[in-house]
Amino acid sequence: TRPARHCKTSFGARDFGGFQDCFFRDRLMDTARIAVVGAGVVGLSTAVCISKLVPQCSVTIISDKFTPDTTSDVAAGMLIPHTYPDTPIHTQKQWFRETFNHLFAIANSAEAGDAGVHLVSGIKGSGGWMLTRRIDDLWELHPSFDIVVNCSGLGSRQLAGDSKIFPVRGQVLQVQAPWVEHFIRDGSGLTYIYPGMSHVTLGGTRQKGDWNLSPDAENSREILSRCCALEPSLHRACNIREKVGLRPYRPGVRLQTELLARDGRRLPVVHHYGHGSGGISVHWGTALEAARLVSECVHALRTPIPKSKL
């Protein structure tokens, strides 16, 4: 194994440093090269699950944004079941149960203090690369990678041509209020107070179709007013910071394998996106399923094509 490396790059589509030296050329694969596009909680968890469940593979996470600049960094991070209309209930329950068991085990381990802010730590033990780069077309990753996992969230509108996914803007306040030890949430879930390890998160907004990433002063005043109505002591909160994230909403999480073809070339893609505000709640369960799909792709690529007999 080797520690994860983080490389900031600005090279062209066909220049991936050392990856260019070992392209797959009409032979059975030894090490499957897998690219995970997206570095939020879904992308990072998927990379961890792949590294654990798929033997003989190298995983590279590619994103134009890493922590602390992702939507996942803005989220309050509460484990609350969410409903996806286009996803069977039994599947949603399985995702939530697997995610709950995973996080519960971490919460009771010696690593609990670090796990809340270092989701990528699981990749450093199995080896991997992290590249800061914007991807405009999944074909840019061919032939440098054998399989691509699309965890790009809202980026899938362009990368996958998916018009079903759209932003739900969320603005929150991160404040210092160390005396707040228990969470408070109103019936609709729109107003909430969630204490975390380093700050208390006050929320929030749900603005469908709004792409604005700049904080809105009026939103901030309304959030603080609503939260102070639930917990008056928050009038004493200090070091108030405004944060905005765009939830990648879709009627159902897309977990699906697609075989892209162009000019006789093929590129297997596992799509894994569309979690909306439920990414924290089901990320591990859906990442396990995505890793299983990747394993199927690897198996298919390693299986020799039988030659026809004349």
Side-chain angles (χ1 to χ4, degrees):
T1 62
R2 66 174 184 271
R5 305 182 191 181
H6 190 111
C7 306
K8 291 202 172 187
T9 58
S10 58
F11 37 70
R14 297 188 59 82
D15 182 9
F16 268 88
F19 294 110
Q20 237 11 36
D21 297 331
C22 54
F23 291 154
F24 176 63
R25 296 181 184 276
D26 298 326
R27 58 174 175 79
L28 297 183
M29 284 191 305
D30 179 17
T31 299
R33 298 158 303 165
I34 301 169
V36 177
V37 180
V41 65
V42 172
L44 295 180
S45 299
T46 301
V48 171
C49 288
I50 291 172
S51 68
K52 289 184 176 182
L53 298 181
V54 181
Q56 291 182 282
C57 72
S58 66
V59 181
T60 301
I61 302 171
I62 304 174
S63 179
D64 58 344
K65 293 180 180 179
F66 285 83
T67 189
D69 300 317
T70 71
T71 297
S72 299
D73 290 289
V74 178
M78 288 295 290
L79 192 69
I80 298 175
H82 293 265
T83 301
Y84 302 100
D86 289 358
T87 303
I89 293 296
H90 69 88
T91 301
Q92 297 184 51
K93 288 182 177 180
Q94 176 183 333
W95 292 343
F96 184 83
R97 181 172 59 252
E98 291 174 334
T99 302
F100 176 87
N101 291 339
H102 171 68
L103 294 179
F104 186 76
I106 293 177
N108 289 280
S109 73
E111 300 174 349
D114 293 329
V117 294
H118 295 294
L119 290 174
V120 74
S121 60
I123 298 171
K124 292 171 182 177
S126 300
W129 289 78
M130 299 173 72
L131 301 178
T132 301
R133 176 187 171 176
R134 178 181 175 84
I135 300 297
D136 294 311
D137 187 334
L138 295 179
W139 274 106
E140 294 176 23
L141 302 173
H142 183 280
S144 299
F145 296 94
D146 304 300
I147 300 168
V148 172
V149 186
N150 175 27
C151 301
S152 63
L154 287 172
S156 294
R157 286 182 65 89
Q158 174 182 340
L159 294 178
D162 191 343
S163 60
K164 291 184 179 180
I165 190 166
F166 61 90
V168 176
R169 183 179 181 275
Q171 180 165 323
V172 300
L173 303 179
Q174 295 178 350
V175 306
Q176 293 299 314
W179 60 87
V180 177
E181 298 179 350
H182 305 286
F183 76 85
I184 305 174
R185 185 174 184 265
D186 73 357
S188 67
L190 182 61
T191 302
Y192 50 83
I193 302 166
Y194 292 144
M197 295 179 61
S198 59
H199 56 259
V200 178
T201 300
L202 312 181
T205 65
R206 295 181 191 145
Q207 296 157 311
K208 294 183 179 180
D210 191 337
W211 291 86
N212 183 18
L213 282 169
S214 300
D216 181 272
E218 183 60 29
N219 287 165
S220 295
R221 285 191 290 269
E222 292 176 355
I223 291 170
L224 187 58
S225 175
R226 284 188 274 123
C227 289
C228 285
L230 292 179
E231 177 53 67
S233 70
L234 287 173
H235 283 294
R236 296 187 283 116
C238 60
N239 296 333
I240 299 176
R241 293 182 296 170
E242 300 169 303
K243 296 289 183 178
V244 177
L246 304 180
R247 307 175 181 96
Y249 182 81
R250 195 176 185 274
V253 174
R254 187 180 184 190
L255 263 169
Q256 184 181 39
T257 301
E258 179 182 13
L259 184 62
L260 301 184
R262 181 182 293 180
D263 300 328
R265 300 170 297 161
R266 294 186 176 186
L267 179 64
V269 175
V270 174
H271 295 289
H272 182 203
Y273 63 85
H275 295 67
S277 57
I280 294 293
S281 299
V282 298
H283 71 278
W284 195 254
T286 60
L288 288 171
E289 188 167 336
R292 287 189 282 268
L293 293 177
V294 170
S295 182
E296 292 174 4
C297 292
V298 171
H299 177 73
L301 289 174
R302 286 177 175 161
T303 302
I305 301 175
K307 297 182 179 179
S308 60
K309 297 182 179 179
L310 298 178

